[in-house]
Structure formats: C-alpha cells, structure tokens
Amino acid sequence: MTRITVTVNGAREETAVEAHESLLTTLRERLGLPGSKNACEQGECGSCSVLLDDVLVCACLVLAASVDGREVRTVESLADGSALDPVQRAFVETGAVQCGFCTPGLVVATHALLRENPEPSLAEIREALSGNLCRCTGYGQIVEAVQRAAKTMYLHGLDDE
Amino acid sequence: MTRILKSIEEFEGEVSESLVIVDGHDLPPARHDGGSPEIGRSRRRIDATQRVTGRARYTQDLYLAGMLHARILRSPHARARVRRIDTKRAEALPGVRGVLHRFNTPKTPFRGDDVIFREEVRFVGEEVCAVAADDEDTAREALALIEVDYERLPHVVDLEEALGDVAPQLESDGNVSESGSHKRGDTKRALKEADVAVDVTYRTSTQLHNALETHGAVALYDGEMLTVWESTQHVFGVRTGLKNALKLPYSRIRVICDYMGGGFGAKNGVGKYTIVASLFAMRFGKAVRCVLTRDEENLAAGNRSATLQQLRLGAKGGRITAIEHTSWSNSGQGKWIANPTGPTNTLYEVANVNTRSYKVVTNAGSLSAFRAPGYVEGAFALESAIDELAEAAGVDPLTLRRRHAGAGKDPITGNRYSDKHLLECYRIGAKEIGWDRRRAGGTRGSAPHRRRGIGMASQIWGGGGGPPAYATVHVDPDGSVVLTAGTQDIGTGTRTVLAQICADELGVELDDVRVQIGDSAGPFGPMSAGSMTLASVGPAVRLAAHDAREQLLGAAAGVLETPKAELRLEAGAIVSKGARTPLGEVLGKVDNNTVIGKGIRFPNADDLAQKTFSAQFAEVEVDVRTGEIFVERIVAALDVGRIVNPLTAASQVEGGVIQGIGFALSEERIVDRALGRVMSGNLEGYKVPTVKDVPTIVVKFVDRPDRRANNLGAKGLGEPPIIPTAAAIANAVANATGARVRHSPLTRARVLEALALAGIRD
C-alpha cells in the first residue's frame, strides 16, 4: 500500500492505496464518492470522467498512486446542495438524462469542454463528447444540453470558478 | 364484488390468456381535450436531479459494511466437461472466504437446469466456479489459483455451421428445433401465379445489449430475510427466480432496484450472479456483491440472436399475393428464441402466408430478449424484401405497402384492432421526409462519388400491456402524496409519467407526489419489458389516485361541512364555491389519519388485438468508393396511443432509433470459430454508436388515445422505434446505389461487396 494525499472536491484527503489501484476505485470505494461510474474499466465509455488538475481524464485509467499531491474534482462537487450548476440544470431541462448512468461522466466532460471553449460549435461538441457513450438517449438532447449550458454560462460568466 | 375475469395479453410477440382477480370497476377513458393539467405535458424527469449530481445510487454503488466480493471463474472453452476442480491454493489465499462449484453447490434450479454450475460447460464464459473474498482484488487473484481439469469436446458456434451435417450435435434431437409456424392461404399456388417474385436470403449478426450499467447484485441475509439489490427490469421476477433456486418463501425475499442503468431486455430475471451472491450471503451472514465486468457482460449476459432468413414473395397486379419466410436463430445455450417471422405473420394484409422459425443451439452465449426481440431481425428481412419486390414489380415501395396496411383485423386471430393509424404514420412520415423527392435509382450526392437515397419501413408490435399490476396512493395529513406501484424505472421515465398520471387524476401538484417503486415489498407489477409498463401500470395508478380523491373529497365534506358534490380537488387544494383550502389544512383537522387509495389494472378485452404501429423514413448518402453510409435524417412517425409526456416519449424514440442505427451499421459480435471466443467483448471492439454517429432524428406522434385499450388510452413505446430503422436504412442505401445489402450490419465491406455484385464498382 502507498499513502497518498490528494485534494478531492476541495477537501484534503489522506488514504492508502494499492500500487495497481485506479483512481476510480479510490474515489468509489475509499472516499465514498460513487458518482463516477464504472462501466468499462478501459477508458472507452467516459462514465468515470473526472477533472485531474483541471484536465479531463477517465479515472479508471489513472493510477491512484500517481495523484499524490494533486487535485481531483468529481461530479459530486458541482451542485451546491439543491442548487444545480448550469451544466446539470441544462441536462435536467432538456431531457438529456435517461437511465443516468453515463450522465455524471457527460456532465464533467461538458464542464471540461466549456472551460476550454465557451462557445463550441456543433462539431466541437460532438468531438468533445465522442468519448462518452450513452446507450439510452439519441444524444440529441445531450448536445442540446451542452448548447444551453454554454449559453447560460456565457451570459452569466463561469460561476463555478 | 371480487370476481375472476379473463384477459388476453401479448408479450414479445406471443399472445396468451390469463385470469385476473378484480374488484369494483375500471374508470372510463381519461379525457383528451387538452385540459389535463399533467397528461400530455412535457415534464422534466422527477429524478433527474439525483442522476445529474451523482447522488442516485445504482446497484454497483452499494458498499455495505463488511461486504464480501464475489467473482466468477468462467470457462475458457466453448465446450468441455468439468472433471475435477482443485481449490486448495485459492482457499489458502488470505481473505478468501469460500469457493462454490459444481461439486459443492446445492441444487439451485435455474432456467430449466437444476444447477448453476453444469458438468458440461457449453460456451466460453459459462460459469464454472465462484469465489467470495474480503475484497475484489483477492477474489480476482483467487480465480487464477483455481485449477480446473477440463475434457474438451467438439463445439460449434456459428449458426450456419450448426445447421450443417458435420457439426457436432449438441442435443439428443439435434441442433435445430422448430419454434413457431403460421400458414394461411396457399403460397405455392400464389407464387406460381404471381407476375413477379423475389427469392432472397437475409442475415443479421448478433447484437450485444451493452447497457452502461453491467449486470449485478448485492445480497444481504440476516437469518430471516434475504434482501437483494439488483440492476433489474423486474424485481418480482428476480424474487421468483430466487424462490425457485433457494426454496425460500416469497415473504422472506425482498428485491430492490432503485436506480438502474439500462437493461434493454437483458435484465428480465434472476442471474447466476444473483444466486451466487445470495448463496454466499446466506452462508456467511454478510452482504455479498457480485457485479459483472464489461467483458463478462458481453460473454454471458445475453444478446440478440444472429439469424438466417429466407423469403419468397410474389406480387400480382401490383399487390403482394404471397410471402414465405423461414428463419433460423442462433440461440446459443438459450432455451427459446424470439420469433423473426412475427412481422411477416401480422404486419400486412396478405392472403397467402407461410412462415416457420427454428431455434438453433450452439456453443455461444445465450440470447436474451433485446428490445423487440425477433421483430428487429425479422423486420430487416421482410421490409427489405418488400422493397425488392416493389422494385421488381415497378411499384413505389410506399404505395405497395399502403395497399396492404389498412386492415382492421389481426390476420391470425381475426380480432379487431383496438385502434390503428398506420396509414396516418405513412402520411406524416412521407410528408416530413419529402418522399416525393425520392427517385428510382437515387440521386446525386453531395460529392461526385456519393449517391443519395430515401427509404422507409414499417413496424407492428404489441404494447397493450395488461394485468396484473397494482398501485396505492397514500395521502398523508400534510397533504403530501406517496404513490407506490409495482414497477421499476429502468431509465425510461416510468417514475415521472406515473407521477404525472397520479397528480392529474388526484388533483395535486406534480411536486407533491413522491413515487416509490422498484421494491418487491410493495404491490406486484410486470416486468419493464415488452413495451408494457405504462399501459399496464399507468391505468392502475389512475384508478388508485381516483380512489384516493373520492376518499379525500368525502373527508373534506365532513371537515368543511359542505356537501361532497360541491367540492373539487385541484392543484392540492379543496375548492368549494371559489374558496380554496389546502389539502394539508383540511387533513390537519384529522391528524395522523392516512387516506389510502387502491388501484388495479383491469383485464384487456378478449376480442381485441392491441398493437402499436409506426413507420420510419431514412435519407442517406453512400460513398461508393469506400462503402461508407452516412445516415443524414431519420423520421419516425408512431401510433402508440396517447402520449403522457412528449419529452420522455421523444427520448425513448430517439434512443430506439440510435440502437437501430447501431444494429444497421456497426454493432456485431465477432466470435472466433476455432476457439469459440468473443473477439468483441469490450467497448473498443464492439461499436456502440457515439454522438458523432447520430443523424437528425424527427419524431412525430399520431397521439390519439386508444380508448379500447385501457383507461389511459396509452400504449407502450420502448420497442416500436428500434424495429423499422435498419430496414429503412437498407432500403435507402438500395435506392441510393442500386445495390442491395442483405446482411446487417451494413458494414463497409458488405456495402462494397454489394456494389461490386451490382456492377457499380469492381
């Protein structure tokens, strides 16, 4: 076991991890944050998307031991109690959520996109989210949610910073 | 008065009769004048906040104190006898609690077998052993330490190979058995007398469900109750499976499915992983988690069978006079097949029809229901072949279909349809896609090497639902409402639409209704499958809300000292001559009382056929150099009765279309014939459509209530949208290029081959 110190959603966490353990396992099983989902464990589906030092990663592909001293943000950090952030609100309002298993990953990936590119084109949205698989929706409402979130965040400024 | 009534239900293409205990009377059809406060309104999902925040707890998110982790050792061989199992090294590993296998596991009847670990394993991925350990890593490590002595046996995984003479015969009566047939008229004579005929062979590949949440269960046993959390489409089905396997009474089993990450038919009942988790939980008195990996999911959790289908169609005087359709489905080790000839038997009014379908057993993973099982495969073949016939007869394919789509009766039973608007679907869809732009031979595409075409296909399916289904509505003294119903929300929006129906009938705000479902401790309800949830459970919810409202108005009459006839319940308040008293205020006067409304699903009429109908139109471009198909637009026009929530309904349709596009273009399980191994067991090798693969999808509903179906006038909608997609695309490709691709998915290789055959390229 290796001891690591990592800032998760703004809080400093100290935990012991196995040498081969993924960040996803650490988040879900050691830190009580199961919002990031485990659906493929090989970086194909995007359901475990988190921000590592503000960079979008699949938590299943990151070794937990490698995040020592770094900062992780998960889907659990986005809402403030019952107040949803603009991306989450847009997903709810447009009906972009069906079973919801892919949704946390999509919400985090959308954040990463809009941070880099506040006014993405349709093609840019599709490119940015092509690593997040959804098996229930037709993706159309997801794209609509991203466009709606972009508009809201552009008008009000990035309120999560 | 309590009495027994007869009902007719259709499930996945099979019609059956049942008896129902009923009490009281059903409600007349709900009003459809646009004045309903909730029904017919687009509403956000009431549970969406939990899902977007990551707070929703799915089965795989349960981590209970002291929980053990179970993992399954699977056969690496397509067919082998398990002669000996040595678990000494595995059991010596610190943290390992126990190993289950065929030599130490009690009889646990499971889907026709009396054990879960068979002596002869019959596909790569079949369960051989299970390990319980303190953590996942230890369980995995233990699997590698188990030594199994296999005697390898000859195997066959491919459908057409299994049909041949040299294949090993896997059952005493061979690999092939008939699973259904239908005959009306005289097809031989009609084909002889036909002006034109086509004789064509179609193939469809195996499709894998790949719901984002894999199968899994967490079991807990406290010495009296077995509680199982499972990602399932039927909490009551899992309960029955556990009762049969473990010989426990219903009263000692509770199955819970709160949030669920998709099923598409693969999660309709108990799994071996459920029984494994339960056996370990009962042995150790601890919680045990058994959740499959993606690879396991794609080996052993079901699929849509590959099919081989032969069709002969004849036409005379511009009408279809005969259809012969024979189909073989690769069931793997499954005990049934879904019938691909269903659409041929029922979709069109054709006088001479002769169909037969066969189940073929192989050493591949078993089929399970997959969103309109059989009908997706069958519609691809039938609707493609009808276009081939139309082309041969020189008739517009939509015109040809119109001539046979107006029948008012089910051709098999002779029962009248409760309602049918297929011709209206054609009208709406043709207008929206611009069918009059379609030219025989297609048109030029957006580049010199691209051809453009339009195609369409239609669909029939059940979706009428039926009893038994139950609901209760509890109104608490503060006026808040708890709706409990026998169902689960597998991602379709069931929670939301049931809340809408309850709020609408009861006369309260949507926000005041809390929905409690996905728990076998509540009243019974059907599987969330077969497009039957809304049409089964919705009418019971409406009746329960109606019962509660009547009681509330009676209570309010007493509290307010006003005749009941002068009172209404609207938006959570008792209204009397313009005065509004909030429900909580009225009930506060009789604090601690609870009003309990009860509702059941009344039987279906036994002389009507309840069906859903739709048509899809596709516009595509095909790159004739590369064989790549670009689907640009899909129009879906559906007749599924009344629409309760247009937002969630449209989502269901779009999702179905996308899965249909996957089936049509990219999704295909690849199995190595020599070893029987699945080569596309993960999401890298198996191509599920992404956001970049999605065309414009236009969804149109006829939206007329089916008043003879049930008290809501709503029918099911989960499956209709996936049925015609692949055929519509294949027909558009044929229109664009003149090349007919008769094997789904229409991969580039297959398109190029068809183009070469048609002489369009070398």
Side-chain angles (χ1 to χ4, degrees), chain B residues 25 37 130 166 176 596 643 668:
Chain B
H25 295 280
V166 295
V176 185
I596 304 175
I643 301 302
E668 183 170 26

Side-chain angles (χ1 to χ4, degrees), chain B residues 8-19:
Chain B
I8 283 194
E9 291 100 45
E10 176 171 345
F11 179 63
E12 318 270 61
E14 301 292 330
V15 177
S16 61
E17 223 176 77
S18 67
L19 295 173

Side-chain angles (χ1 to χ4, degrees), chain B residues 511-686:
Chain B
D511 286 348
D512 291 334
V513 181
R514 167 133 193 90
V515 181
Q516 214 167 263
I517 54 175
D519 188 343
S520 73
F524 182 87
M527 188 186 284
S528 295
S531 303
M532 66 179 176
T533 307
L534 177 58
S536 302
V537 185
V541 168
R542 189 174 161 234
L543 199 51
H546 178 83
D547 184 21
R549 189 185 59 183
E550 288 304 305
Q551 295 180 47
L552 288 170
L553 291 174
V559 169
L560 300 173
E561 295 175 347
T562 309
K564 187 181 163 198
E566 290 175 21
L567 301 177
R568 291 194 320 274
L569 180 48
E570 271 177 21
I574 299 288
V575 181
S576 165
K577 295 187 181 134
R580 298 173 58 85
T581 318
L583 199 50
E585 200 175 302
V586 175
L587 292 174
K589 305 268 201 274
V590 281
D591 206 3
N592 289 334
N593 284 244
T594 307
V595 168
I596 304 175
K598 197 182 118 197
I600 66 165
R601 171 61 155 83
F602 270 78
N604 293 327
D606 60 8
D607 58 351
L608 292 174
Q610 297 188 21
K611 301 283 184 181
T612 54
F613 300 91
S614 75
Q616 279 182 30
F617 294 74
E619 183 159 12
V620 306
E621 281 203 2
V622 181
D623 186 326
V624 296
R625 298 174 313 178
T626 63
E628 188 170 5
I629 297 169
F630 302 87
V631 179
E632 305 216 324
R633 200 152 179 261
I634 299 272
V635 174
L638 302 98
D639 164 27
V640 293
R642 182 184 214 181
I643 301 302
V644 175
N645 182 336
L647 181 68
T648 53
S651 300
Q652 277 289 79
V653 177
E654 290 170 25
V657 168
I658 297 302
Q659 275 182 359
I661 291 175
F663 175 77
L665 300 183
S666 64
E667 293 185 36
E668 183 170 26
R669 184 187 71 182
I670 308 288
V671 182
D672 176 277
R673 289 188 191 191
L675 295 171
R677 295 199 178 149
V678 174
M679 309 306 287
S680 53
N682 58 41
L683 292 169
E684 186 183 8
Y686 186 85

Side-chain angles (χ1 to χ4, degrees), chain A residues 18 20 28-29 34-35 37-42 44-45 47 75-76 79 81 84 88 91-95 97-104 107 126-127 129-130 133-141 143, chain B residues 44-45 48-49 51-58 60-61 63 137 140 207-210 212-213 260-262 264 289 294 370 490-491 647 651-652 654-655 658-659 667 682-684 688-692 694:
Chain A
E18 297 285 352
H20 60 271
R28 289 175 55 83
E29 300 185 22
K37 300 301 177 213
N38 179 354
C40 77
E41 281 187 293
Q42 61 166 173
E44 286 291 336
C45 76
S47 305
V75 67
E76 282 96 343
L84 299 182
Q88 291 170 319
F91 270 70
V92 173
E93 285 166 359
T94 54
V97 183
Q98 280 189 233
C99 86
F101 205 77
C102 67
T103 309
V107 165
R126 287 178 157 216
E127 183 60 37
L129 298 185
S130 61
L133 294 179
C134 169
R135 193 60 161 157
C136 298
T137 76
Y139 291 109
Q141 290 161 331
V143 171
Chain B
R44 298 167 195 167
R45 276 159 211 269
T49 294
R51 298 186 198 257
V52 296
T53 52
R55 293 173 195 149
R57 287 288 174 273
Y58 297 76
Q60 70 156 232
D61 300 334
Y63 294 99
D137 284 345
R140 267 180 221 251
Q207 189 182 21
L208 297 167
H209 298 72
N210 275 313
L212 263 278
E213 183 186 26
M260 197 273 204
F264 312 114
R289 176 184 197 267
R294 179 60 51 189
F370 188 161
I490 64 171
L647 181 68
S651 300
Q652 277 289 79
E654 290 170 25
I658 297 302
Q659 275 182 359
E667 293 185 36
N682 58 41
L683 292 169
E684 186 183 8
V688 166
T690 76
V691 67
K692 289 180 84 175
V694 174

Side-chain angles (χ1 to χ4, degrees), chain B residues 1-5 20-24 598 600:
Chain B
M1 199 185 65
T2 306
R3 59 207 188 276
I4 297 273
L5 294 177
V20 195
I21 306 170
V22 305
D23 196 28
K598 197 182 118 197
I600 66 165

